[in-house]
């Protein structure tokens, strides 16, 4: 593991990982919770997350998009770090509901050419539903999702759901990297 990956994993464990029973947005019960906003909204966490995810972004990609709120700080960090490093990418924020006034858009960001290739990003993937919704909204806006990225794959079906939809999830880390073995709550 590279030094930057080790540093980011250490920050995730220190700042974002909570052990204890929680109900996730998917409705599932889990023995742990990872709130990456706690880490990615710090200067070091934002930089490391952006730097490592940017290394995965394919050359043909012109924009980074994802569902609010998990993707917002990641997208913002990626476009700034990308610019500093000479890789200009635009950001697209996908709303959960269309804006209630104005043009009633699902997508916030600059107007891009139809067919612009987009890497869709999220912080934590459980079922993949958030990423799949983001992909759908980005396609409806006339753009072309070509890549799916995440900081953490909880290894609970999201990767498979995305594969079924024709996308390969690329994540910086998986649950295994956190050293967690979840218990079965179906009993």
């Amino acid at each position: 593991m590279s030094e930057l990956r080790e540093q980011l994993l250490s920050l995730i464990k220190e700042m974002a990982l909570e052990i204890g029973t929680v109900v996730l947005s998917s409705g599932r019960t889990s023995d742990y919770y990872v709130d990456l906003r706690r880490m990615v909204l710090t200067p070091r966490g934002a930089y490391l997350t952006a730097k490592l995810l940017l290394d995965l972004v394919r050359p043909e990609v012109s924009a980074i998009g994802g569902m609010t709120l998990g993707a917002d700080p990641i997208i913002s960090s990626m476009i700034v770090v990308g610019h500093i490093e000479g890789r200009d990418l635009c950001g697209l924020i996908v709303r959960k509901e269309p804006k209630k006034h104005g043009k009633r858009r699902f997508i916030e960001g600059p107007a891009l050419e139809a067919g612009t290739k987009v890497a869709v990003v999220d912080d934590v993937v459980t079922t993949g539903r958030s990423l799949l919704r983001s992909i759908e909204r980005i396609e409806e806006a006339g753009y072309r999702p070509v890549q799916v990225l995440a900081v953490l794959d909880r290894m609970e079906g999201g990767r498979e759901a995305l594969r079924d939809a024709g996308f390969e999830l690329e994540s910086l880390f998986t649950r295994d990297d956190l050293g967690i073995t979840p218990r079965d709550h179906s009993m």
Side-chain angles (χ1 to χ4, degrees):
M1 187 180 300
S2 77
E3 183 179 332
L4 294 181
R5 279 179 46 85
E6 286 177 18
Q7 289 176 29
L8 183 58
L9 182 58
S10 178
L11 280 180
I12 290 170
K13 288 178 178 179
E14 175 188 327
M15 301 179 77
L17 176 62
E18 295 179 41
I19 304 298
T21 304
V22 296
V23 177
L24 305 173
S25 63
S26 64
R28 295 180 183 183
T29 302
S30 176
D31 295 328
Y32 70 101
Y33 183 66
V34 182
D35 184 354
L36 285 180
R37 290 172 299 250
R38 297 169 107 191
M39 179 275 306
V40 82
L41 288 168
T42 67
R44 187 75 183 151
Y47 172 75
L48 290 171
T49 301
K51 177 76 174 144
L52 291 168
L53 284 174
L54 280 166
D55 287 346
L56 299 177
V57 176
R58 296 181 193 150
E60 70 270 19
V61 167
S62 299
I64 305 293
M67 186 70 66
T68 198
L69 181 69
D72 296 358
I74 295 170
I75 292 166
S76 298
S77 299
M78 288 178 74
I79 63 176
V80 170
V81 172
H83 176 72
I84 291 168
E85 294 186 351
R87 175 97 194 263
D88 284 336
L89 297 164
C90 292
L92 302 171
I93 302 295
V94 180
R95 291 174 169 274
K96 292 178 179 161
E97 300 293 329
K99 196 171 180 179
K100 302 288 185 216
H101 58 281
K103 299 283 186 173
R104 302 178 194 269
R105 293 186 182 116
F106 273 103
I107 306 287
E108 296 295 339
L112 304 173
E113 266 186 52
T116 294
K117 293 179 181 173
V118 179
V120 184
V121 69
D122 206 351
D123 55 355
V124 178
V125 178
T126 303
T127 64
R129 278 188 287 193
S130 179
L131 280 166
L132 289 168
R133 254 191 338 264
S134 294
I135 289 167
E136 180 182 322
R137 298 291 183 222
I138 289 168
E139 287 174 335
E140 288 170 355
Y143 307 131
R144 189 167 154 222
V146 296
Q147 188 175 20
V148 180
L149 306 172
V151 178
L152 177 70
D153 176 6
R154 290 179 57 97
M155 301 170 64
E156 295 184 27
R159 180 177 299 274
E160 294 76 12
L162 288 157
R163 187 175 296 131
D164 290 348
F167 294 92
E168 196 63 39
L169 175 64
E170 298 173 69
S171 65
L172 294 176
F173 304 104
T174 67
R175 173 187 69 214
D176 289 346
D177 292 312
L178 298 177
I180 293 175
T181 306
R183 290 186 310 212
D184 182 5
H185 288 280
S186 61
M187 297 180 211

